[in-house]
Amino acid sequence: MWVYIQNLLVYTFILGSIYLLVALGFSIICGVLRIFHLGYAYIFPLTVYGTWMFLTDFGWGLIPSIFGMVAVQFVIAFLIYKGIIKRYLDKELEMLVGLLLLTTIIEQTINYKYPMQTGVYLQTELIKGTTQIGSVVVSTQLLVGSIIALFLTAIFVLFFLKTRTGLAIRAISQNIYSSQIVGINVETLYVFTMMLVLVPVMIGTLIIAPVWTVDPFMGQIYMFTAILVAVLGGLGNMRGTIIASFLIGAVHAVMCFILGEPRFMTLSALVLVMIVLVVRPQGLTRSESLW
Amino acid sequence: MVDIELKRDRLTIRFKTQKWEWMIEPRYWRNSILWVALLLVFPAVSYFVSPGLINTMISANLLAAIAIPMSLMTLGTGRVNFGPNFYVGVGGYAAALLSIAYGWGPVATLPFAILTTLFAALIFSPLVIVARGLYYVLLSLLLPFVFFEVTVIYTDIFKGDTGLFGIKPLMDLGNAKINFLVLAYLSIFIMISYLLIVNKIIKSRYGLIMATINDDEEVAHGIGVNINKVKIISFVFAACLIGIVGWFYAHYFSSFSGQTYLTFTFMLKIFLAMMIGGRTQIFGCVVGGYFVAFLEMFLIRTMGPMQAFVFPIILIIFLFILPEGLFGIYRKRRYREYFPTIHVRR
């Protein structure tokens, strides 16, 4: 019994933290721009394969390759904002279908250049080996990744609560027209937010890349998780996102390590979200503000 | 008594308080007849010139046959359902499982495919009342993926990873080419039937009520429309029409796989047929279905593996440069019909 509880606690912590990294960006976009970024899935494979491209095709070192990939991500995020989101903010169907198409273009281009059978391995391991916590043995990489996830989330929360820029972004998330009246440059902050949300996703993807499977279509399942977390938490509320990440992490841990049915992981998380939505249609927290 | 009256441009039939009119003035139906004639001639010509085109034409008809009821659903519920492929999956799996388990042919499986889709649509129909805006988008988007998960989890029943095989074919006339030709005409029949039925609904008083709901639910409620009833009927009816297409897919390919029909890619094709065709304009869905299916076939033949990313690039360009879709180019000269606004967030 004690072993089960240990497994549950450790994996809730690890999975919840990783899901937090995966979903934080999606949730912030929901909160600030008030849209569903259905193009979110492209960020994950672009992080892995963008770094891989600079490593193998350009012959750069790992750190320069990561910076190269970050630059590519920022440029693409900027183009997406200017080309799709800004133009179609009022025509959401065009925007959502356009974002889905864009994800397809990026995924298929990656798949064309580096097909699934291409062995892609990023040496972004911070620490090798495993760690034993009580009777539970976990990958040290994931454990360190979880701590980084919490640290990064804390930085994000502090940024939004304690800085003037964070205050301005929160103001936009609450009322865009009032924000404009008090002199906030909404468009600049939209672009800034689009780029800011890339940070946790890129860090999360680089942490899990050496441990979990990567392929050109890996983003879809992570976006699925991000959507579940964002909706469960209350579309765009960071406090809700943190709670929802660990709740879904707990459900996944129960399915895997208590019931021994990993096949039901996604389904069980979805059932949880549906139940919560029936009881509280607005999610766990109010979606009116970021925090 | 039935009263038939022939005027210069129309035939009017009256029975008690009911009235039916049929336009006989050529300018009203000439273009429609020409387009239908073109559709009917196309498979016969392809049969002799390039039989491979028949297959693409069937795909185009089926895409249009999903996009047309999808437009009706969008109009009648005032919301955009991001998971129309869920009902393709329900209809297809119902037909496939019954055919494999009991050796039933397409005629026997059709009513069960419709009933299963009806049942599934009824279960999820409260969503169109309780879920709004982005929540509705999310829930409808997730449904096909949940279903796909279920097919993978219960793979001994659904064969989620490999697909179900051995379904009785829709037609077996002993010659593959003739089979394809007859199936092409059957797909045209389904698509045109959907077009006529949905067009009739949209042009009727009921269509006017749906348009009111689409434009403003509160106003519709204020003028005495039972909006929940209209929304549920539109939702369930359109879902059943989509389910029939699933039944067609299952018997047409003699196989059915969630990997093909319950994924983003297939959902995106349906949306593009609807959007590039004419943003919920039902005649535009036909244009959109043909455009998407033939463009894909052309790129596969000419560009090989590169088509996987060239295809969405061309589609995204068309999505953004045609604000009213391909049908909008034609429609601008005849601007007199109701043009619905599509509501994702409300």
Side-chain angles (χ1 to χ4, degrees), chain B residues 87-107:
Chain B
Y87 300 100
V88 177
V90 172
Y93 267 116
L97 290 170
L98 286 170
S99 183
I100 291 169
Y102 301 108
W104 289 1
V107 178

Side-chain angles (χ1 to χ4, degrees), chain A residues 34 36 88 92-94 96 98 100 104-105 108-109 112 224 227-228 231 263-264 266-267 270 281-282, chain B residues 80 82 134-135 138 142 145-146 149 153 264 268 272 275 279 306 308-309 312-313 316 320 342 344-345:
Chain A
R34 296 283 163 197
F36 255 0
Y88 295 99
E92 282 188 317
L93 189 56
E94 275 90 344
L96 296 178
L100 277 173
T104 311
I105 293 168
Q108 293 291 353
T109 310
Y112 178 75
F224 188 90
I227 290 176
L228 287 180
V231 171
R263 295 180 305 166
F264 288 93
T266 318
L267 193 63
L270 191 92
Q282 73 275 32
Chain B
V80 184
F82 268 72
L134 293 178
Y135 284 103
L138 167 97
L142 291 186
F145 297 102
V146 178
E149 281 282 319
I153 290 169
F264 261 134
L268 206 51
L272 289 165
M275 301 280 291
R279 310 283 198 278
M306 276 173 71
F309 64 88
I313 289 175
I316 204 169
F320 292 150
I342 305 170
V344 173
R345 182 209 303 261

Side-chain angles (χ1 to χ4, degrees), chain B residues 4-316:
Chain B
I4 301 174
E5 185 185 354
L6 180 64
K7 288 183 181 169
R8 187 185 65 80
D9 64 338
R10 71 191 67 192
L11 181 73
T12 309
I13 303 168
R14 288 194 179 82
F15 177 67
K16 293 183 180 171
T17 55
Q18 298 289 318
K19 186 176 92 171
W20 293 274
E21 282 186 334
W22 185 50
M23 296 293 179
I24 52 173
E25 176 72 23
R27 68 192 167 105
Y28 288 118
W29 47 259
R30 186 190 58 212
N31 287 359
S32 311
I33 297 282
L34 280 174
W35 280 110
V36 171
L38 195 68
L39 281 179
L40 292 175
V41 168
F42 189 87
V45 173
S46 302
Y47 181 81
F48 297 105
V49 180
S50 173
L53 288 177
I54 298 178
N55 200 13
T56 314
M57 190 188 184
I58 295 173
S59 303
N61 288 330
L62 295 180
L63 268 183
I66 302 171
I68 292 167
M70 174 70 190
S71 300
L72 180 76
M73 192 188 275
T74 306
L75 186 66
T77 58
R79 290 157 166 74
V80 184
N81 187 326
F82 268 72
N85 48 341
F86 172 72
Y87 300 100
V88 177
V90 172
Y93 267 116
L97 290 170
L98 286 170
S99 183
I100 291 169
Y102 301 108
W104 289 1
V107 178
T109 57
L110 178 62
F112 288 94
I114 296 172
L115 276 175
T116 316
T117 319
L118 179 82
F119 184 65
L122 275 174
I123 288 177
F124 292 107
S125 61
L127 284 181
V128 295
I129 298 165
V130 295
R132 284 168 174 260
L134 293 178
Y135 284 103
Y136 184 74
V137 170
L138 167 97
L139 292 171
S140 57
L141 181 75
L142 291 186
L143 271 181
F145 297 102
V146 178
F147 190 24
F148 181 55
E149 281 282 319
V150 171
T151 66
V152 175
I153 290 169
Y154 295 101
T155 197
D156 46 331
I157 302 169
F158 295 102
K159 302 276 184 287
D161 31 13
T162 55
L164 290 164
F165 293 95
I167 304 160
K168 288 257 167 108
L170 205 52
M171 208 150 285
D172 191 6
L173 301 170
N175 181 327
K177 268 173 77 179
I178 294 174
N179 265 352
F180 270 121
L181 188 65
V182 176
L183 288 172
Y185 281 112
L186 187 60
S187 66
I188 292 173
F189 171 75
I190 291 176
M191 188 265 286
I192 291 180
S193 310
Y194 281 15
L195 199 61
L196 291 176
I197 294 167
V198 174
N199 187 45
K200 192 74 187 163
I201 293 171
I202 289 175
K203 293 276 169 64
S204 69
R205 185 179 164 76
Y206 198 76
L208 195 66
I209 292 171
M210 287 161 77
T212 322
I213 291 174
N214 183 59
D215 278 347
D216 197 320
E217 276 182 31
E218 285 173 12
V219 170
H221 186 63
I223 58 173
V225 173
N226 186 343
I227 52 172
N228 291 348
K229 184 179 144 193
V230 176
K231 275 198 219 171
I232 288 180
I233 290 174
S234 320
F235 180 79
V236 172
F237 180 68
C240 288
L241 294 183
I242 297 173
I244 293 173
V245 182
W247 161 85
F248 190 98
Y249 274 123
H251 286 288
Y252 169 46
F253 291 113
S254 290
S255 68
F256 198 83
S257 166
Q259 194 83 52
T260 312
Y261 301 106
L262 296 172
T263 52
F264 261 134
T265 317
F266 189 67
M267 181 270 280
L268 206 51
K269 272 191 201 173
I270 298 168
F271 265 90
L272 289 165
M274 190 176 92
M275 301 280 291
I276 292 182
R279 310 283 198 278
T280 71
Q281 287 287 305
I282 55 163
F283 292 97
C285 293
V286 182
V287 185
Y290 271 78
F291 180 78
V292 171
F294 276 87
L295 177 69
E296 188 180 25
M297 184 270 297
F298 175 75
L299 291 177
I300 288 171
R301 284 191 181 181
T302 54
M303 307 194 87
M306 276 173 71
Q307 69 83 28
F309 64 88
V310 176
F311 180 55
I313 289 175
I314 295 175
L315 291 176
I316 204 169

Side-chain angles (χ1 to χ4, degrees), chain A residues 13-276:
Chain A
F13 171 69
I14 288 176
L15 293 176
S17 308
I18 300 290
Y19 295 159
L20 187 56
L21 273 185
V22 167
L24 195 61
F26 187 84
S27 186
I28 291 172
I29 291 184
C30 277
V32 178
L33 276 78
R34 296 283 163 197
I35 59 160
F36 255 0
H37 187 2
L38 291 186
Y40 194 71
Y42 85 84
I43 305 171
F44 300 89
L46 191 62
T47 303
V48 175
Y49 288 89
T51 311
W52 183 250
M53 180 186 76
F54 286 115
L55 266 173
T56 55
D57 295 349
F58 290 63
W60 295 4
L62 181 65
I63 302 298
S65 298
I66 291 173
F67 278 109
M69 174 274 297
V70 171
V72 171
Q73 291 266 22
F74 281 168
V75 170
I76 291 179
F78 180 75
L79 293 177
I80 288 175
Y81 176 74
K82 287 284 179 188
I84 300 178
I85 295 178
K86 188 185 168 194
R87 279 180 68 189
Y88 295 99
L89 207 53
D90 296 328
K91 292 182 173 180
E92 282 188 317
L93 189 56
E94 275 90 344
M95 184 179 68
L96 296 178
V97 175
L99 288 171
L100 277 173
L101 269 174
L102 191 93
T103 305
T104 311
I105 293 168
I106 293 175
E107 284 176 345
Q108 293 291 353
T109 310
I110 291 172
N111 192 41
Y112 178 75
K113 184 86 172 64
Y114 306 106
M116 277 204 198
Q117 56 269 31
T118 310
V120 173
Y121 177 70
L122 289 182
Q123 291 190 325
T124 48
E125 263 186 340
L126 299 167
I127 301 174
K128 291 188 178 176
T130 54
T131 304
Q132 186 155 3
I133 305 169
S135 56
V136 186
V137 179
V138 290
S139 156
T140 313
Q141 171 81 355
L142 286 181
L143 196 62
V144 174
S146 309
I147 295 162
I148 290 173
L150 292 183
F151 184 65
L152 196 69
T153 309
I155 291 175
F156 263 74
V157 172
L158 285 176
F159 169 77
F160 282 113
L161 292 184
K162 301 290 179 191
T163 64
R164 278 181 71 82
T165 314
L167 183 71
I169 294 175
R170 278 193 293 142
I172 293 175
S173 77
Q174 287 179 3
N175 194 317
I176 188 166
Y177 300 109
S178 307
S179 313
Q180 282 171 325
I181 289 167
V182 296
I184 293 171
N185 189 339
V186 173
E187 193 168 321
T188 308
L189 285 179
Y190 271 177
V191 176
F192 176 71
T193 309
M194 283 289 291
M195 294 185 176
L196 188 70
V197 299
L198 294 172
V199 176
V201 186
M202 288 189 292
I203 291 175
T205 311
L206 289 174
I207 287 170
I208 58 178
V211 190
W212 289 352
T213 316
V214 292
D215 67 64
F217 306 101
M218 63 189 282
Q220 292 185 6
I221 188 71
Y222 292 123
M223 189 174 82
F224 188 90
T225 309
I227 290 176
L228 287 180
V229 169
V231 171
L232 183 62
L235 284 183
N237 187 299
M238 286 176 68
R239 201 191 310 232
T241 305
I242 296 168
I243 300 168
S245 301
F246 285 99
L247 258 179
I248 289 183
V251 170
H252 284 185
V254 168
M255 277 297 150
C256 278
F257 302 103
I258 308 290
L259 301 178
E261 284 285 359
R263 295 180 305 166
F264 288 93
M265 277 170 70
T266 318
L267 193 63
S268 55
L270 191 92
V271 171
L272 170 77
V273 172
M274 293 234 175
I275 292 169
V276 172

